[in-house]
Amino acid sequence: MDCCVIPLRHGGLSLVQTTDFFYPLVEDPYMMGRIACANVLSDLYAMGITECDNMLMLLSVSQKMNEKDRELVMPLMIRGFRDAAEEGGTSVTGGQTVINPWIIVGGVASVVCQPSEFIMPDGAVPGDVLVLTKPLGTQVAVNAHQWLEQPERWNKIKLVVTKEEVKEAYQEAMFSMATLNRTAAGLMHKFQAHAATDVTGFGLLGHANNLAAQQRNEVAFVIHNLPIIAKMTAISKACGNMFNLVQGTSAETSGGLLVCLPREQAAKFCSEMKSQSSAAGGQGAVGGAWIIGIVEKGDRRARIIDKPRIIEVPPRGSQAANQDNSATSLDPNSHPS
Amino acid sequence: MDCCVIPLRHGGLSLVQTTDFFYPLVEDPYMMGRIACANVLSDLYAMGITECDNMLMLLSVSQKMNEKDRELVMPLMIRGFRDAAEEGGTSVTGGQTVINPWIIVGGVASVVCQPSEFIMPDGAVPGDVLVLTKPLGTQVAVNAHQWLEQPERWNKIKLVVTKEEVKEAYQEAMFSMATLNRTAAGLMHKFQAHAATDVTGFGLLGHANNLAAQQRNEVAFVIHNLPIIAKMTAISKACGNMFNLVQGTSAETSGGLLVCLPREQAAKFCSEMKSQSSAAGGQGAVGGAWIIGIVEKGDRRARIIDKPRIIEVPPRGSQAANQDNSATSLDPNSHPS
């Protein structure tokens, strides 16, 4: 599970909490703070929990930065983290900071809640539909962006992508990682989700496998569609498939929720994600939603079909993004070939 | 405050939580794990909280260690952390591990409790007595032990201390840091403590100042006695007072609780610490207790008197340690000169 759920000594309540910390992966310290916070909270959201009672921040300041850089960078990172916490309806009340060779940023999110407030991620049944709420490809985008400065690397991918496209994809990845999965968590209750997880370091397939393994029923997750930030599939192929993006194991940071929904609710979930997104001024605020597969009877594993359909997700702000990019109308039973 | 206390949405309960992480400072990985855990829990104990609902462990594995060393060291450290958590009546249910140049070990402790379970550290009144539950000098002991291998450093202190004494002091410091402040936390309730803090990175005076600053009444803390691991005062002086040990600002790791007790309760608190310690097989299990000062009317600051009385605390196991070393009979009003 993404969180630990601890039964408390008081009134049937449970303490749900989670921690995460990692190293910066985008250049903008403010956005990095937001991403770190979104990543921590995401574990709560994956359990359908929309509230958070408290956050702690974990920081290490790099000893290799000079004082001027530190004073510039660290307050911005802290500010980004705090702003995202506030957007999540919570606040940061404590934490710990150390000096270290590398910068580390992360936190702890805790909430005390009644059983009705969270959805144990073990209720998938055959016939359920799998929905993903952010596009894949953040790792590829972040790496490709670094390669703009590394001619040897850049030469390998420049035939399939322009510098402009890489920059747009990087921006898209950055905003996507900084997006809270809170709206999706709320809709999990409204549309009776049976289970969910968030997609992070093990990639879509890794987390789908973990989720499948802990189901009460004998089910298997079959993934047909892969929504991926535009051009990232081409880059991944051009560099010898080193990310295993289409195989589903490319690491994501602060990825979307993978939600198992009753068949009759999935389209409504997607459509409400989309309308809340539009109301909030675009996909940025709440994430998107794509039907990516189905739940069958099986041996508690997940797999991606041969030749899955790649859904190229255009960067927000681009012309294509202003059209409908939520694949709510895909028939999860149609096997694209 | 050492912890954050978050009022919850449910039944008058509060979430109390704290986090701490740092770098190894003793050579034994198992003991290091215990120390890290004791250090995290200590913030709860300082609020008189004896229970902990959940712990998370924060770890970074050093990229500079080879795989064999990692496989030897990290499981021991984790084991030590878990064992100490178990001794504290709690368990470690989650956490996060990363790779980093340096090893990091720490954790998060959380508890949901009723108001009666914790003692807000703001109730000191003039006439209270200050008690400390572990001796000072852990930083000096750890450093002196490293100097055994550094002739240049060792030469500066070898006139005042033997190698054997340094090794004994290091052992004493290690066991003291690994000791949970849980017994002291329990006795804070029994003897109606008015406030407490744990002594860590800012040293005794630093934490005493923080505690004094947050009192509701206009009080000042006056410290007369300094219980210090035997020989550490001499070492500190011999190396030009670089630790500021007798000035009260030498950093401690997982130090004791500094407790404000009603005058008529302080001796009883010390005596019960001592008898519980004997019952548990020596000072190691629960810490000791020394009356170190008094609370006067004042401007919410702490100070150490000129020429405080140094109480040399002999290492456990030594002959002297088998005699009474708890200074429960010191009259806090007598100013030693």
Side-chain angles (χ1 to χ4, degrees):
Chain A
M1 286 215 302
D2 298 301
C3 295
C4 46
V5 179
I6 314 295
L8 295 173
R9 300 160 292 159
H10 307 280
L13 297 169
S14 295
L15 169 65
V16 182
Q17 78 181 169
T18 180
T19 181
D20 246 321
F21 54 95
F22 51 52
Y23 305 104
L25 73 173
V26 299
E27 286 162 9
D28 180 324
Y30 177 81
M31 289 305 290
M32 191 56 230
R34 288 195 78 108
I35 292 168
C37 184
N39 194 54
V40 173
L41 285 170
S42 187
D43 290 326
L44 297 185
Y45 296 147
M47 297 194 65
I49 295 170
T50 55
E51 301 305 317
C52 172
D53 286 318
N54 191 38
M55 291 197 82
L56 306 173
M57 201 186 304
L58 309 173
L59 270 185
S60 85
V61 179
S62 170
Q63 48 163 198
K64 293 176 184 169
M65 289 170 85
N66 62 45
E67 203 170 335
K68 199 178 142 205
D69 285 349
R70 271 188 212 173
E71 281 175 13
L72 202 69
V73 167
M74 300 312 289
L76 282 169
M77 199 177 289
I78 291 168
R79 177 71 178 278
F81 194 99
R82 286 190 180 277
D83 282 0
E86 199 176 306
E87 198 180 305
T90 183
S91 60
V92 181
T93 64
Q96 161 84 330
T97 304
V98 295
I99 296 278
N100 190 61
W102 298 347
I103 291 179
I104 295 177
V105 53
V108 181
S110 304
V111 61
V112 173
C113 50
Q114 291 170 319
S116 63
E117 292 180 69
F118 58 88
I119 297 170
M120 289 301 284
D122 62 1
V125 296
D128 277 356
V129 169
L130 300 172
V131 171
L132 182 67
T133 69
K134 290 182 185 177
L136 305 169
T138 55
Q139 188 189 38
V140 183
V142 164
N143 278 277
H145 187 250
Q146 287 169 353
W147 296 347
L148 290 177
E149 315 296 330
Q150 301 168 30
E152 203 175 312
R153 297 279 204 169
W154 175 248
N155 287 338
K156 284 198 187 150
I157 60 170
K158 70 179 181 187
L159 290 178
V160 301
V161 70
T162 67
K163 290 194 171 183
E164 201 45 51
E165 284 167 338
V166 167
K167 285 179 190 165
E168 278 183 3
Y170 172 74
Q171 291 284 326
E172 175 60 32
M174 187 169 74
F175 284 110
S176 179
M177 292 187 286
T179 298
L180 300 184
N181 284 321
R182 194 181 188 195
T183 303
L187 296 181
M188 282 173 61
H189 291 275
K190 181 165 181 186
F191 298 108
Q192 291 118 45
H194 288 153
T197 185
D198 64 332
V199 177
T200 57
F202 298 121
L204 173 65
L205 188 60
H207 290 283
N209 257 316
N210 288 346
L211 188 62
Q214 70 201 31
Q215 295 309 305
R216 279 180 280 120
N217 298 307
E218 288 179 353
V219 291
F221 295 170
V222 186
I223 295 167
H224 300 255
N225 306 327
L226 298 174
I228 295 177
I229 296 170
K231 294 288 174 179
M232 296 307 103
T233 311
I235 290 177
S236 188
K237 279 182 187 158
C239 54
N241 206 18
M242 61 177 278
F243 296 104
N244 286 310
L245 178 60
V246 177
Q247 286 69 35
T249 55
S250 180
E252 305 292 337
T253 296
S254 189
L257 298 190
L258 171 64
V259 190
C260 297
L261 286 152
R263 190 187 168 78
E264 65 281 11
Q265 303 284 10
K268 286 186 271 179
F269 177 98
C270 293
S271 132
E272 181 131 349
M273 278 294 284
K274 189 165 151 24
S275 70
Q276 291 216 16
S277 167
S278 301
Q283 187 182 305
V286 304
W290 295 267
I291 287 175
I292 65 161
I294 53 169
V295 177
E296 295 179 347
K297 244 180 103 55
D299 59 353
R300 298 195 176 87
R301 272 188 264 187
R303 66 182 176 88
I304 298 176
I305 62 165
D306 267 356
K307 300 185 186 153
R309 179 200 299 232
I310 308 297
I311 304 168
E312 293 266 312
V313 178
R316 64 199 72 188
S318 73
Q319 243 189 341
N322 296 326
Q323 296 161 18
D324 180 2
N325 61 30
S326 292
T328 56
S329 56
L330 283 184
D331 178 353
N333 287 324
S334 78
H335 290 225
S337 61
Chain B
M1 286 215 303
D2 299 301
C3 296
C4 46
V5 179
I6 314 295
L8 294 173
R9 300 160 291 160
H10 308 280
L13 297 169
S14 295
L15 169 65
V16 182
Q17 81 181 167
T18 180
T19 182
D20 246 320
F21 55 95
F22 51 52
Y23 305 104
L25 72 174
V26 299
E27 287 161 8
D28 180 324
Y30 176 80
M31 289 305 290
M32 190 56 230
R34 288 195 79 109
I35 292 168
C37 183
N39 194 54
V40 174
L41 285 170
S42 187
D43 290 326
L44 297 186
Y45 296 146
M47 297 194 65
I49 296 171
T50 55
E51 302 305 317
C52 172
D53 287 316
N54 191 40
M55 291 197 83
L56 306 173
M57 201 185 305
L58 309 174
L59 269 184
S60 85
V61 180
S62 170
Q63 50 162 196
K64 292 176 183 169
M65 289 169 86
N66 62 45
E67 203 170 336
K68 199 178 142 204
D69 286 349
R70 269 188 214 174
E71 280 174 13
L72 202 69
V73 166
M74 299 313 287
L76 282 169
M77 199 177 286
I78 291 168
R79 178 71 178 279
F81 194 100
R82 285 191 182 277
D83 282 1
E86 199 175 307
E87 199 180 305
T90 183
S91 59
V92 181
T93 64
Q96 160 85 330
T97 304
V98 296
I99 297 278
N100 190 60
W102 299 347
I103 291 179
I104 296 177
V105 54
V108 181
S110 303
V111 60
V112 173
C113 50
Q114 292 169 318
S116 63
E117 293 181 67
F118 58 88
I119 297 170
M120 288 300 284
D122 62 0
V125 296
D128 277 357
V129 169
L130 299 172
V131 170
L132 183 67
T133 69
K134 290 184 185 176
L136 306 170
T138 54
Q139 187 191 39
V140 184
V142 164
N143 278 276
H145 187 251
Q146 288 170 352
W147 296 347
L148 291 177
E149 315 296 330
Q150 300 170 29
E152 204 175 313
R153 297 280 204 170
W154 175 248
N155 288 338
K156 284 197 187 151
I157 61 171
K158 70 180 179 187
L159 291 177
V160 301
V161 70
T162 67
K163 289 194 171 184
E164 201 46 51
E165 284 167 337
V166 166
K167 285 180 190 164
E168 280 183 3
Y170 171 73
Q171 291 285 325
E172 176 60 32
M174 188 169 72
F175 283 110
S176 178
M177 291 187 286
T179 299
L180 300 184
N181 285 320
R182 194 182 189 195
T183 303
L187 296 182
M188 281 173 63
H189 291 275
K190 182 165 180 186
F191 297 108
Q192 292 119 45
H194 288 154
T197 185
D198 64 332
V199 176
T200 57
F202 298 121
L204 173 64
L205 188 60
H207 290 283
N209 256 317
N210 289 346
L211 188 61
Q214 70 200 30
Q215 295 309 305
R216 278 181 281 121
N217 298 308
E218 288 180 354
V219 291
F221 295 169
V222 186
I223 295 167
H224 300 256
N225 305 328
L226 298 173
I228 295 177
I229 296 169
K231 296 288 175 180
M232 295 307 103
T233 311
I235 291 177
S236 188
K237 279 182 187 158
C239 54
N241 205 19
M242 61 178 277
F243 297 104
N244 285 310
L245 178 59
V246 176
Q247 287 68 35
T249 54
S250 180
E252 306 291 337
T253 296
S254 188
L257 298 190
L258 171 64
V259 190
C260 297
L261 286 152
R263 190 187 168 78
E264 66 281 9
Q265 302 284 9
K268 286 186 270 181
F269 177 97
C270 293
S271 133
E272 181 133 348
M273 278 294 284
K274 189 166 151 23
S275 70
Q276 291 215 18
S277 167
S278 301
Q283 187 182 305
V286 304
W290 295 268
I291 287 175
I292 65 160
I294 54 170
V295 177
E296 295 178 348
K297 243 182 104 53
D299 59 352
R300 297 195 176 86
R301 273 187 264 187
R303 66 182 177 89
I304 299 176
I305 61 164
D306 265 357
K307 299 187 186 153
R309 179 199 298 234
I310 308 298
I311 303 168
E312 292 268 311
V313 178
R316 63 200 72 189
S318 73
Q319 244 188 340
N322 297 327
Q323 298 158 18
D324 180 1
N325 62 30
S326 292
T328 56
S329 56
L330 283 183
D331 177 353
N333 287 324
S334 79
H335 289 225
S337 62

